[in-house]
Amino acid sequence: MGMQKDQMQFDPALLQRLNDRQLADLVSRIASAAGADRGKTEALLGNLDALRNSLKGLTPEQAKQLLDRAGEEKSSEIYEILRKNGNR
């Protein structure tokens, strides 16, 4: 059903290739899937340059560690969002 752990890969460089609208949409969908506070999400989206800078040096392993903190069900949903976004 879900993705196997070894299939859960994410290249954080994808985020740098997105335009502002695409990045905001992706972050909104991820935050919603993770159950994040809407107000905090909107504040984060208010400064996309700072968001890009904070993600700039993120390695794939660091990205995986962050996403795995959401728990298995939520992280699987987030990985699926990222996979679909990466295949545009």
Side-chain angles (χ1 to χ4, degrees):
M1 285 199 212
M3 297 178 69
Q4 295 177 351
K5 283 280 185 191
D6 60 345
Q7 292 176 324
M8 294 184 184
Q9 297 294 320
F10 167 61
D11 178 8
L14 162 72
L15 301 175
Q16 300 300 325
R17 295 189 297 266
L18 300 175
N19 67 36
D20 285 353
R21 183 186 51 76
Q22 292 169 323
L23 180 61
D25 178 60
L26 179 61
V27 170
S28 292
R29 287 186 287 143
I30 290 170
S32 178
D37 177 84
R38 187 175 186 95
K40 290 181 181 179
T41 301
E42 289 177 10
L44 180 66
L45 295 177
N47 192 346
L48 290 176
D49 288 337
L51 177 61
R52 284 185 196 280
N53 285 336
S54 68
L55 298 172
K56 199 174 236 176
L58 196 62
T59 67
E61 181 57 35
Q62 289 169 324
K64 183 179 183 326
Q65 289 172 357
L66 285 172
L67 294 173
D68 287 348
R69 287 184 194 167
E72 188 171 342
E73 184 179 324
K74 289 181 180 180
S75 66
S76 292
E77 187 176 345
I78 293 167
Y79 277 110
E80 184 62 17
I81 292 167
L82 291 167
R83 185 189 64 76
K84 286 179 180 177
N85 200 77
N87 292 333
R88 281 185 172 182

